[in-house]
Amino acid sequence: MAIKITYRRTSRLSMRIVKNGDVHVSAPLGMPREKVMEFIHEQKDWIDEARKKNYERQKQRAEFFNKLPLYTDAQIDESLERLRTLVEPMVERHAKEMGVHPSVVFYKPTISRWGQCNLHDRSICISAYVLLLPEWCVEHVVVHELCHLLEPSHNARFHALMDKYFPRWREARKETHRIYRMEDDEEL
């Protein structure tokens, strides 16, 4: 376990356990290192428990993604064809309804996000791993990315667009999180 201490403009000490299990500590500028180390030592039980939870989450995450084998060219080709067959009609229907035109929709086995919209070239990327989600949750991802062609940020206008074009988006997002158990780093 590595401990990384960063001094910054903050008013209090804070600590988080990142995905690889390391401890990242943020300390106020000028705070003596001894006081930071004392804080870390005092939080040893919390660190141990948080690292254990983190390990379990990472294990669960690996098990989730391993449900879609993408090890051979044949597996990749088969998955991408299933994905195209599923997603392209959704894109066509919703893009027409919304009056948007993505330049291209492509697919990659990304694990950091379900979809991504590039506003500069108006392309949309959908993760191959959406195949592990129910179809209505996949549709949520598609509509979400298409809405970004109308509104780049996740502001009130974006949420209003989601309400208009996919009213069940909050429920779909909740279900996707439940399936994947997507959680942030453990933080104190």
Side-chain angles (χ1 to χ4, degrees):
M1 161 183 78
I3 297 176
K4 178 182 177 187
I5 301 170
T6 305
Y7 290 91
R8 57 180 57 164
R9 290 189 172 133
T10 182
S11 60
R12 64 180 186 90
L13 279 165
S14 64
M15 177 184 323
R16 65 188 178 112
I17 309 299
V18 296
K19 289 180 181 169
N20 70 359
D22 288 351
V23 178
H24 287 195
V25 179
S26 293
L29 291 170
M31 179 173 277
R33 183 169 177 81
E34 298 80 36
K35 188 166 181 176
V36 175
M37 296 309 290
E38 181 181 315
F39 171 74
I40 294 168
H41 182 71
E42 288 170 356
Q43 300 302 326
K44 186 177 179 341
D45 290 343
W46 179 87
I47 291 170
D48 292 343
E49 186 61 31
R51 290 186 81 233
K52 183 178 166 186
K53 285 181 189 176
N54 187 330
Y55 172 78
E56 288 303 317
R57 270 197 310 272
Q58 294 307 315
K59 183 176 157 191
Q60 188 175 44
R61 186 175 191 252
E63 288 169 2
F64 176 82
F65 286 114
N66 287 336
K67 290 178 187 175
L68 181 65
L70 296 174
Y71 308 115
T72 67
D73 288 342
Q75 289 172 329
I76 293 169
D77 291 345
E78 189 269 333
S79 293
L80 293 180
E81 186 53 39
R82 280 181 37 224
L83 191 56
R84 275 187 208 92
T85 302
L86 175 65
V87 170
E88 286 180 5
M90 292 178 186
V91 170
E92 188 175 318
R93 181 176 73 252
H94 288 289
K96 183 177 181 180
E97 177 187 6
M98 297 165 75
V100 296
H101 305 286
S103 61
V104 65
V105 177
F106 62 98
Y107 311 94
K108 288 170 52 175
T110 58
I111 60 172
S112 60
R113 52 182 73 184
W114 300 112
Q116 186 172 5
C117 177
N118 182 323
L119 292 173
H120 299 293
D121 65 7
R122 302 185 62 77
S123 66
I124 292 176
C125 178
I126 304 291
S127 172
Y129 291 105
V130 299
L131 288 170
L132 298 171
L133 301 175
E135 190 171 320
W136 69 287
C137 292
V138 176
E139 190 168 7
H140 160 251
V141 172
V142 169
V143 173
H144 181 107
E145 299 312 327
L146 289 171
C147 280
H148 278 309
L149 293 174
L150 296 170
E151 176 55 53
S153 63
H154 293 118
N155 58 19
R157 180 172 182 258
F158 177 86
H159 293 141
L161 290 166
M162 288 298 296
D163 287 338
K164 178 178 180 180
Y165 294 114
F166 197 79
R168 293 179 65 197
W169 71 270
R170 287 178 180 85
E171 185 182 346
R173 182 177 64 181
K174 186 175 181 180
E175 178 66 6
T176 299
H177 284 267
R178 186 194 66 75
I179 291 167
Y180 174 61
R181 298 193 197 290
M182 193 182 305
E183 297 178 34
D184 293 329
D185 300 331
E186 191 74 21
E187 189 164 347
L188 172 69

